[in-house]
Amino acid sequence: MTDAPRKLVTAESVTEGHPDKLADRISDSVLDAILARDPQARVACETMLTTGVALVAGEVTTDTYVDLQAIVRDTVREVGYVDATYGFDADHSAVLIALSEQSPDIARGIDGAFDADETDDDSQQGAGDQGLMFGYACDETQQLMPLPITLAHALVMRLAEVRKDGTLPYLRPDGKAQVTVAYEGDRPRSVATVVISAQHHPDVDLAELRADVERLVIAPVIPEVLRSPDLRALINPTGRFVVGGPQGDAGLTGRKIVVDTYGGAAPHGGGAFSGKDPTKVDRSASYYARYVAKHVVAAGLARRCQVQFAYAIGVAKPVGAYVDTFGTGVVPDLVLERAIAEVFDARPASIIRQLDLRRPIYRATSAYGHFGRAGFNWEATDRVEALRAAVKVS
């Protein structure tokens, strides 16, 4: 064993006040408000933010009514943009709405699957689009998530916490964290570098901010056992971060898709999640792929597992599926694929039913990652024994 790492792996996360994440939060808040009144609604909501303006656009098919202006302003207020001097705030920024109905050509494929079987209800609904989705799990953390992204999320959650509870009252909503972990082989050994950028009041002393963030954010999150002897903590490296949020950088829904998933430890199919109802397999099938991959690791069938599904618009059954355990599986990957096909049903209607996705649960996913967090059905491991039985592992 050597102290020299074979590789350095980095992941980042951002606070809910980051402009892209605020856009995600608005889109998911609109989705939740509509699903609360109409669980069968079709929603594809995109948000763009800039100085003094929020634009909500996309396609929505529903018979219900929600006050979109109020939803946007309430979401912005809850995140912390409450002062006009921030360049974007809940009460003074313009909110523009540009929504239309879902294309009938898309709706056709969802409402009647090309491969429908009249004897099977789950076969009636086709995928809402073509595409490929990945799920991933590993045994690096208790959450069965990669360590770098887990620590990055924990840092920005702590950064938001000390802002909201008044511990560091000079902080503002925007912020980012980045964590670099040294690995030996495929095992994480120590945290080599932490980068935190925290938006702040213009009059705060930089040395004070750096000391406070080191003591109250980094120290509680990065345990001593994981700290490299020469750990570098880079806090507000440019020295000043006053102009932030939508004033500092335009925000767009779906621009933090790697933050949303595995921090780069696994491939990403390219589709964003936020603002999309569960008929969009970009979202629901990615959740299901994580559900399957997590079961494989939780069952002790592999230390690492990546699952891919691929769909054709208007077709219920995935047109492609594979499993990769990176040589860590206790049985060959093809054996595992057959067992997964026996235990799990990845057709869109079945995914929605199994994970109970037609509910207003999505706002909570819009920051700090969609995976590795308690409270979401796709994080359950309720089929471990069924999977082990299908693989015939005692």
Side-chain angles (χ1 to χ4, degrees):
M1 187 75 66
T2 174
D3 291 333
R6 288 181 58 189
K7 58 184 177 182
L8 296 173
V9 179
T10 302
E12 72 157 348
S13 186
V14 299
T15 65
E16 67 225 46
H18 185 281
D20 294 330
K21 273 287 141 212
L22 181 58
D24 285 343
R25 199 171 192 85
I26 290 170
S27 294
D28 275 333
S29 296
V30 170
L31 171 63
D32 275 0
I34 294 172
L35 288 179
R37 296 181 176 223
D38 179 8
Q40 302 299 319
R42 306 278 173 79
V43 181
C45 178
E46 312 288 345
T47 302
M48 191 280 286
L49 306 172
T50 190
T51 304
V53 179
L55 170 63
V56 178
E59 299 78 45
V60 175
T61 301
T62 181
D63 293 329
T64 195
Y65 168 80
V66 296
D67 187 343
L68 295 176
Q69 288 270 344
I71 291 167
V72 173
R73 295 188 189 282
D74 288 348
T75 302
V76 172
R77 183 176 297 106
E78 186 273 336
V79 168
Y81 287 103
V82 294
D83 189 329
T85 63
Y86 293 179
F88 183 88
D89 73 295
D91 296 313
H92 301 95
S93 296
V95 177
L96 309 177
I97 309 297
L99 296 172
S100 59
E101 285 194 340
Q102 183 182 56
S103 160
D105 297 336
I106 296 174
R108 225 177 128 193
I110 300 171
D111 295 335
F114 177 80
D115 55 341
D117 178 349
E118 294 302 324
T119 66
D120 184 353
D121 289 342
D122 285 342
S123 75
Q124 304 304 308
Q125 178 181 311
D129 201 353
Q130 70 179 45
L132 55 150
M133 300 84 204
F134 289 94
Y136 182 76
C138 62
D139 65 356
E140 294 179 17
T141 63
Q142 184 179 15
Q143 301 91 337
L144 303 187
M145 287 284 288
L147 181 62
I149 190 67
T150 300
L151 293 176
H153 286 324
L155 285 168
V156 288
M157 290 177 74
R158 178 63 181 163
L159 194 62
E161 180 183 349
V162 296
R163 171 179 63 88
K164 290 181 174 181
D165 68 13
T167 301
L168 298 180
Y170 56 76
L171 292 181
R172 289 182 173 175
D174 199 354
K176 306 173 77 171
Q178 183 174 287
V179 178
T180 299
V181 175
Y183 281 70
E184 292 176 0
D186 64 354
R187 290 297 193 183
R189 295 303 180 193
S190 62
V191 176
T193 305
V194 174
V195 182
I196 292 184
S197 294
Q199 187 188 15
H200 58 84
H201 188 279
D203 295 335
V204 70
D205 178 72
L206 181 60
E208 177 189 2
L209 181 148
R210 286 173 170 164
D212 285 347
V213 170
E214 170 70 45
R215 178 173 57 91
L216 296 169
V217 178
I218 297 176
V221 170
I222 310 295
E224 285 294 332
V225 69
L226 280 178
R227 289 171 170 245
S228 167
D230 54 351
L231 171 68
R232 299 177 70 204
L234 304 175
I235 301 168
N236 283 27
T238 63
R240 181 177 170 89
F241 185 8
V242 172
V243 178
Q247 182 186 26
D249 191 9
L252 291 171
T253 297
R255 203 158 59 175
K256 286 290 178 283
I257 56 177
V258 173
V259 171
D260 285 342
T261 53
Y262 308 101
H268 195 294
F273 301 158
S274 289
K276 296 179 180 178
D277 75 82
T279 66
K280 280 72 171 174
V281 284
D282 279 342
R283 181 169 222 161
S284 54
S286 293
Y287 290 175
Y288 202 65
R290 160 65 177 173
Y291 180 62
V292 174
K294 187 174 182 182
H295 271 82
V296 171
V297 177
L301 299 172
R303 289 193 295 106
R304 297 169 60 202
C305 180
Q306 177 178 293
V307 174
Q308 185 203 69
F309 294 122
Y311 294 85
I313 188 168
V315 179
K317 292 181 180 178
V319 297
Y322 81 82
V323 177
D324 188 351
T325 60
F326 308 95
T328 70
V330 301
V331 296
D333 288 349
L334 288 177
V335 172
L336 198 50
E337 284 182 14
R338 288 194 290 269
I340 287 170
E342 180 181 328
V343 175
F344 299 95
D345 183 352
R347 293 174 297 173
S350 180
I351 292 173
I352 291 170
R353 177 175 49 79
Q354 292 173 68
L355 300 183
D356 194 13
L357 296 180
R358 291 194 184 276
R359 298 177 294 134
I361 58 174
Y362 298 104
R363 183 175 175 276
T365 69
S366 62
Y368 314 122
H370 292 243
F371 307 122
R373 298 166 61 196
F376 301 132
N377 287 352
W378 52 90
E379 290 298 316
T381 52
D382 50 325
R383 301 188 192 179
V384 162
E385 293 308 318
L387 182 59
R388 290 176 66 86
V391 176
K392 298 180 175 56
V393 173
S394 62

